[in-house]
Amino acid sequence: MPVITSIDDLKRLYKRRVPKMFYDYCESGSWTEQTFRENTSDFQSLYLRQRVAVDIAGRSTACKMIGQDVAMPVALAPVGLTGMQCADGEIKAARAAEKFGVPFTLSTMSICSIEDVAENTEKPFWFQVYTLRDQDFMRRLLDRAKAAKCSALVITVDLQIMGQRHKDLKNGLSAPPKLTAKSIANMMTKARWGLGMLGTKRRFFGNIVGHATGVSDPGSLSAWTAEAFDQTLDWNKIKAMVDMWDGKVILKGIMDVQDAKMAAQVGADAIVVSNHGGRQLDGALSTIRTISEIVDAVGDKIEIHLDSGIRAGQDVLKARALGATGTMIGRAYIYGLGAMGEQGVTSALSVIQKELDLSMAFCGHRDINSVTRNILQIPKGFTGHWE
Ligand SMILES: Cc1cc2nc3c(=O)[nH]c(=O)nc-3n(C[C@H](O)[C@H](O)[C@H](O)COP(=O)(O)O)c2cc1C
């Protein structure tokens, strides 16, 4: 059993064990990948203020996200095709999350269906929807999520159209993977992955295939996006979706103060300051640079979460210090899942919690709820005075 001490350890194993097509799908941003890179590197421009001689015994990272108790302020983000990173990947990730005590979010574009995950877990999970044109399908999807007792609806608002990720086009990304000489040659080197896939029946988009009509190529993420996603989305439609769900709603993909105000106005319970992990608008600011002005503008009106770029517990701590009630991680847990299945996701969560706990202690705090901006040393201009 390899000794895992960081998320990077998991990433190295993940790269070895998962076919290139799915590694590339995860490990890429749109176009030049500037935003993808800066999401992570900007966390390193924020420094932590060391304190000493403070009683740090009996520490806790437990807090609440949208009123739910969580072991630390981290939820697993919705990630499409998770069941292609590892057989039955969504079920494995959801199980790891529920044992750890953090929320799991199932993507619309998952391989395991809502029902698959509900049948194989005990605690409610969150369900993420895209804003689709087919209102009937949308209603049925929400009914299925309600029947599965999902405890929050995450509406992703930053993907009416899909950002271009060059590698996916070059690799011909699809689920299940198309069998070409190149893809077969690569998959032959991934025995553990291949055996897992042979042992499961879940190899298609579980929430879509058999439920949606008029999809020309149900294996292709880009074809489905182009055909099914609602490019005419506006705030009235978002409000209608919020009203359709009688429970907690989180709007994911907010990067602008005006949009954050609208999110509060349409009755969402929380927003995720997110640029989709740098996969949509390349050239957008990193989320850690963006969050402060959003917290200043709407922090007293709506709960604010942050994702994009988190690879360590220190990043979670920095986001909390800048006003995020919670965070989401995407790639960090996918690396774990591809590396070692459910155990790898647990490992990713353990690494992050340990880093969070120790860093919080070094900053002189024993309760995550008492952490404020004071723990940070923020370079002048970090949050920017943009014209
Ligand atoms: C491979 C991959 C697939 C994703 N699929 C979805 C999705 O289906 N729905 C969604 O709302 N966000 C999706 N996202 C975005 C994540 O929910 C999250 O915003 C992002 O991963 C956060 O950045 P991080 O990976 O740097 O933590 C995806 C991200 C990745 C990396």
Side-chain angles (χ1 to χ4, degrees):
M1 185 58 61
V3 179
I4 302 297
T5 56
S6 67
I7 295 295
D8 251 0
D9 284 348
L10 291 169
K11 184 174 164 184
R12 271 189 294 274
L13 273 179
Y14 165 59
K15 186 171 188 184
R16 279 217 300 272
R17 293 184 174 172
V18 172
K20 183 176 183 306
M21 176 187 293
F22 300 116
Y23 173 84
D24 281 352
Y25 168 59
C26 174
E27 199 53 21
S28 54
S30 51
W31 287 324
T32 69
E33 303 193 330
Q34 177 191 3
T35 300
F36 169 54
R37 286 189 300 275
E38 290 181 1
N39 275 336
T40 303
S41 61
D42 278 351
F43 275 106
Q44 282 152 21
S45 304
L46 283 177
Y47 292 85
L48 294 165
R49 192 186 303 275
Q50 173 180 303
R51 297 297 307 274
V52 296
V54 181
D55 178 356
I56 48 169
R59 293 183 305 284
S60 169
T61 58
C63 55
K64 286 186 190 290
M65 287 172 78
I66 55 163
Q68 295 178 16
D69 287 320
V70 291
M72 62 174 165
V74 174
L76 302 195
V79 171
L81 279 78
T82 294
M84 281 291 128
Q85 304 288 359
C86 171
D88 302 331
E90 290 88 358
I91 293 173
K92 289 174 183 160
R95 281 187 173 159
E98 80 174 11
K99 285 183 200 148
F100 208 91
V102 296
F104 169 75
T105 316
L106 183 72
S107 163
T108 304
M109 308 307 292
S110 58
I111 302 298
C112 301
S113 67
I114 305 173
E115 293 78 10
D116 284 335
V117 176
E119 276 161 25
N120 288 284
T121 51
E122 277 158 25
K123 293 188 195 150
F125 54 94
W126 297 353
F127 182 62
Q128 174 264 327
V129 284
Y130 281 117
T131 49
L132 306 174
R133 283 195 326 209
D134 183 342
Q135 286 301 301
D136 269 356
F137 175 68
M138 205 68 217
R139 248 184 293 276
R140 274 183 279 127
L141 201 58
L142 295 200
D143 286 346
R144 289 168 61 196
K146 277 181 205 163
K149 306 213 168 12
C150 292
S151 56
L153 186 70
V154 178
I155 307 175
T156 298
V157 291
D158 62 0
L159 206 146
Q160 286 158 267
I161 46 173
M162 203 158 97
Q164 178 168 311
R165 304 141 204 174
H166 301 320
K167 289 176 225 160
D168 293 349
L169 297 178
K170 294 194 165 121
N171 291 331
L173 176 77
S174 68
K178 293 200 174 73
L179 298 179
T180 62
K182 212 166 139 192
S183 71
I184 292 170
N186 184 251
M187 281 188 279
M188 302 255 292
T189 65
K190 317 287 175 189
R192 174 195 290 243
W193 178 91
L195 283 175
M197 284 299 162
L198 287 175
T200 182
K201 57 184 188 317
R202 302 184 184 98
R203 290 193 286 262
F204 302 89
F205 288 111
N207 293 323
I208 294 165
V209 175
H211 296 279
T213 48
V215 186
S216 61
D217 179 0
S220 161
L221 187 66
S222 51
W224 160 256
T225 312
E227 289 163 25
F229 286 40
D230 185 3
Q231 293 195 22
T232 67
L233 185 71
D234 60 22
W235 284 102
N236 290 330
K237 290 186 180 177
I238 294 177
K239 172 141 185 27
M241 281 180 72
V242 173
D243 294 343
M244 246 156 97
W245 180 262
D246 45 4
K248 300 275 183 183
V249 173
I250 301 170
L251 294 190
K252 174 173 174 288
I254 301 291
M255 287 292 288
D256 176 83
V257 166
Q258 208 48 42
D259 290 343
K261 288 183 180 163
M262 288 306 297
Q265 245 177 57
V266 298
D269 298 279
I271 54 173
V272 189
V273 175
S274 169
N275 55 34
H276 218 100
R279 298 164 74 79
Q280 288 292 95
L281 176 61
D282 188 37
L285 272 189
S286 66
T287 53
I288 197 66
R289 276 186 195 263
T290 306
I291 188 168
S292 291
E293 61 171 347
I294 293 183
V295 169
D296 290 347
V298 297
D300 56 343
K301 297 189 184 66
I302 192 166
E303 188 167 310
I304 298 172
H305 301 172
L306 174 144
D307 78 12
S308 301
I310 293 177
R311 302 288 182 272
Q314 292 208 332
D315 302 339
V316 176
L317 185 65
K318 290 170 184 175
R320 268 294 291 209
L322 288 185
T325 302
T327 62
M328 281 187 159
I329 55 169
R331 296 179 181 89
Y333 88 84
I334 294 295
Y335 301 157
L337 181 73
M340 300 194 297
E342 179 179 334
Q343 200 187 356
V345 179
T346 306
S347 199
L349 290 169
S350 303
V351 162
I352 287 178
Q353 188 178 36
K354 186 163 185 195
E355 290 166 343
L356 175 62
D357 173 56
L358 289 185
S359 306
M360 177 178 84
F362 288 134
C363 291
H365 287 264
R366 60 178 163 195
D367 179 0
I368 192 74
N369 295 295
S370 73
V371 166
T372 64
R373 205 179 167 98
N374 288 343
I375 68 161
L376 296 178
Q377 290 178 304
I378 307 173
K380 285 209 168 59
F382 179 78
T383 53
H385 299 284
W386 311 103
E387 296 278 318

